Amino acid sequence: MRHLMVLWGLAMHVTTYSNCGADDSLAELWRQAALPMNALERARLHGKACGFESSFAVDVAAQSAIAASALAATEIDRLRMPGIDAQRVSVDVQHALAETSGYFTLNGERPPVWAAISGLYACGGALERSGRSGRPGHVRIHANFAHHRDGVLRLLGLPEGEGTTRAQVQEALAHWDAVDFETRATQAGLVVAAARSAAQWQSSAMHAAVAAQPLVGITRIGDAAPRVWPTRKVDGRPLAGVRVLDLTRILAGPVCARTLAAHGAEVLMVNSPHLPNIEAIADVSRGKRSTLLDLKSDAGRLALRDLLSDAHVFVQGYRPGGLERLGFGVEEVARLRPGIVHASLSAYGRSGPWADKRGFDSLVQIVSGLNSDEAAAFHGAEPRALPMQILDYCAGFLLAFGVQTALMRQAEQGGSWHVEVSLARVAEWLRSLGRRTVEPQTAAATVDMLVAPWLVRSASGFGELVAVSHSARLSRSPTDYPRAAVPPGTDQPVWA
């Protein structure tokens, strides 16, 4: 209660936004998915947003994406149990924002979000000599993984390893053109993005390809008989018995699978023993079992095929083409498991000049002009990041929404289905929700205060975990996570 009083007291000193656009946004998501519009009567989007200041409607995006996924779960529940009343959905906007903050602690400490040299840098001399601009450009470097960090340092001619400082990176970049550095880094398979204005992004071939994508693509990719829903109890969760293979690592994909787990799905996270994970693996592993498979080995591929034979959903966030080379492309998975719902997450989609480009939320924000526009709204000179990784989280919730929509189509029409969401298309959607004038703040709530009312404590395989609960509430089924988070490799590669 004390945290709530502090939170609403601080709200008097910051810009507050109404949630008047969230109902419209949810209705449009629902309409695009061709779902029954009368279901919207069962959704209650409420509350007022405070803190998490942005000129973009991050509150509307978070609340409506979470509500769409939860309402889809109640539609599945209605199909599976036609003799009972359909469940109602409630999403508080401040709780939704807290969830998208990604806040968590382990054993009382907040793990670092970024590696030492990750972040924004100014570029200099080469840009001025090019004649393209009299102002230095900016690049954002994503170096949370050691191989990405060392690749950037090699490109800059700096010593590899943790000893190189931000100051050394900044000094080296003073001799680079921002776009030239981005191009060279991309060619080397690194994760770097140059800042663009909205106008620059919207005039590019990349934007044209992204804008042509649906926000949530749901495509029938093969023939199969409708599958019978697994047996479940009347008081069970909507997705009870639905088996989900989660081949993702970085926020958006794991958030999708974690959301499905909150609605009762049996989720098995499949990681590679050779690939690193981010610190947030402790948070996004809630509700899941976790195993390791080397898909470059015959034994690993065979084990995944065995798991696939009993799966209902296959979620993957590999760069386009990555799984195809391992024998688990979209068409191959549908052939191996007719009736599967295959969900793909990518940075820029599967078409256009950046179809195979690596990317994360922070990089898509900066190339799409979101950060330049945010800086202008706050009267800043440097690109300004949004207050949370909203593209990752909304992409995850929207992918979960698409998966559940495809599960309903499969049960009613048959077929195998492919669901696609890209971070760049989510950025376009966020922009379409409108902008707000940012008012000067006299006081600011810390993230700890903003998320405090919704924190839950649990034992985990990583230590004592304190994290934000799922913000969707159903009138009958719980939406907490049924399993404690465990490290990769804790479980055998078998269904429970």
Side-chain angles (χ1 to χ4, degrees):
M1 181 60 70
R2 182 180 66 85
H3 286 303
L4 281 170
M5 292 174 66
V6 171
L7 175 61
W8 292 115
L10 283 164
M12 298 296 291
H13 301 285
V14 300
T15 305
T16 57
Y17 301 141
S18 70
N19 65 336
C20 60
D23 290 302
D24 292 338
S25 177
L26 172 60
E28 181 58 19
L29 291 171
W30 209 251
R31 184 194 64 78
Q32 290 179 11
L35 292 169
M37 299 301 287
N38 60 357
L40 296 170
E41 299 170 4
R42 296 186 280 105
R44 177 173 173 258
L45 309 187
H46 61 101
K48 287 188 176 181
C50 66
F52 303 108
E53 292 294 306
S54 177
S55 65
F56 290 92
V58 293
D59 54 335
V60 172
Q63 191 178 27
S64 61
I66 292 167
S69 176
L71 195 58
T74 69
E75 282 294 284
I76 288 178
D77 195 46
R78 185 181 62 80
L79 288 176
R80 296 181 73 177
M81 308 296 273
I84 61 176
D85 291 338
Q87 296 198 67
R88 298 180 301 280
V89 171
S90 173
V91 182
D92 178 278
V93 65
Q94 191 66 21
H95 193 173
L97 286 169
E99 187 172 6
T100 60
S101 74
Y103 180 98
F104 73 99
T105 64
L106 282 175
N107 298 322
E109 300 290 333
R110 289 190 68 185
V113 175
W114 303 109
I117 70 162
S118 291
L120 184 71
Y121 295 88
C123 294
L127 178 60
E128 294 174 352
R129 288 194 299 273
S130 73
R132 287 202 291 267
S133 172
R135 298 176 57 194
H138 290 84
V139 293
R140 186 173 293 279
I141 294 173
H142 194 290
N144 282 18
F145 296 144
H147 63 293
H148 289 158
R149 176 201 65 207
D150 290 344
V152 166
L153 295 177
R154 282 195 302 273
L155 183 57
L156 292 172
L158 295 173
E160 297 176 25
E162 297 180 355
T164 300
T165 66
R166 285 187 60 87
Q168 290 173 286
V169 174
Q170 180 60 84
E171 182 179 1
L173 282 168
H175 306 288
W176 279 87
D177 169 281
V179 174
D180 286 349
F181 184 68
E182 174 194 72
T183 301
R184 287 282 302 279
T186 298
Q187 291 169 347
L190 305 175
V191 196
V192 171
R196 289 166 173 79
S197 67
Q200 288 171 327
W201 170 248
Q202 290 166 7
S203 65
S204 69
M206 292 82 71
H207 174 265
V210 168
Q213 302 168 15
L215 176 60
V216 181
I218 306 175
T219 308
R220 183 166 177 151
I221 55 172
D223 293 328
R227 297 173 66 181
V228 178
W229 292 106
T231 302
R232 53 157 284 196
K233 298 178 181 179
V234 172
D235 59 352
R237 303 186 193 215
L239 299 183
V242 174
R243 289 177 165 176
V244 178
L245 284 171
D246 175 17
L247 277 73
T248 66
R249 291 184 302 138
I250 314 298
L251 279 190
V255 165
C256 165
R258 187 184 69 180
T259 303
L260 299 175
H263 294 304
E266 181 183 346
V267 178
L268 180 61
M269 177 179 273
V270 179
N271 277 188
S272 166
H274 307 301
L275 294 177
N277 275 294
I278 57 175
E279 296 288 349
I281 188 73
D283 177 29
V284 297
S285 292
R286 286 182 289 168
K288 309 174 185 180
R289 295 169 62 246
S290 186
T291 194
L292 293 173
L293 288 178
D294 181 2
L295 298 185
K296 294 183 178 179
S297 72
D298 291 340
R301 290 191 295 272
L302 179 60
L304 185 59
R305 290 191 189 98
D306 287 343
L307 290 167
L308 185 59
S309 67
D310 287 321
H312 301 88
V313 179
F314 184 90
V315 183
Q316 63 89 16
Y318 281 68
R319 193 161 52 118
L323 277 182
E324 281 82 353
R325 289 188 288 272
L326 297 172
F328 295 97
V330 176
E331 291 76 15
E332 184 65 10
V333 166
R335 186 189 68 78
L336 292 169
R337 179 56 162 157
I340 194 74
V341 172
H342 187 299
S344 296
L345 181 87
S346 64
Y348 300 99
R350 301 206 307 166
S351 62
W354 280 6
D356 61 347
K357 183 178 173 67
R358 290 179 172 89
F360 299 109
D361 179 302
S362 59
L363 305 190
V364 176
Q365 282 192 33
I366 202 165
V367 301
S368 64
L370 295 180
N371 289 172
S372 295
D373 284 347
E374 190 82 323
F378 283 84
H379 309 290
E382 292 188 341
R384 179 186 176 105
L386 302 184
M388 70 281 284
Q389 295 186 73
I390 192 68
L391 306 183
D392 266 332
Y393 280 90
C394 283
F397 297 127
L398 290 171
L399 194 63
F401 168 57
V403 163
Q404 293 175 100
T405 301
L407 282 171
M408 286 185 275
R409 292 187 187 179
Q410 205 292 323
E412 295 176 320
Q413 306 170 25
S416 300
W417 297 84
H418 188 205
V419 181
E420 296 178 88
V421 172
S422 75
L423 299 181
R425 184 61 182 84
V426 173
E428 295 298 303
W429 173 66
L430 175 63
R431 184 178 290 280
S432 76
L433 298 177
R435 303 284 303 284
R436 284 84 174 271
T437 300
V438 179
E439 298 177 5
Q441 298 181 32
T442 57
T446 65
V447 173
D448 304 68
M449 292 177 178
L450 292 170
V451 305
W454 298 284
L455 293 178
V456 292
R457 187 183 308 272
S458 63
S460 82
F462 300 89
E464 184 182 62
L465 174 66
V466 176
V468 180
S469 59
H470 187 44
S471 55
R473 292 288 182 261
L474 306 188
S475 56
R476 187 172 58 251
S477 301
T479 57
D480 56 353
Y481 301 109
R483 294 179 180 272
V486 293
T490 298
D491 299 292
Q492 294 299 310
V494 295
W495 294 110

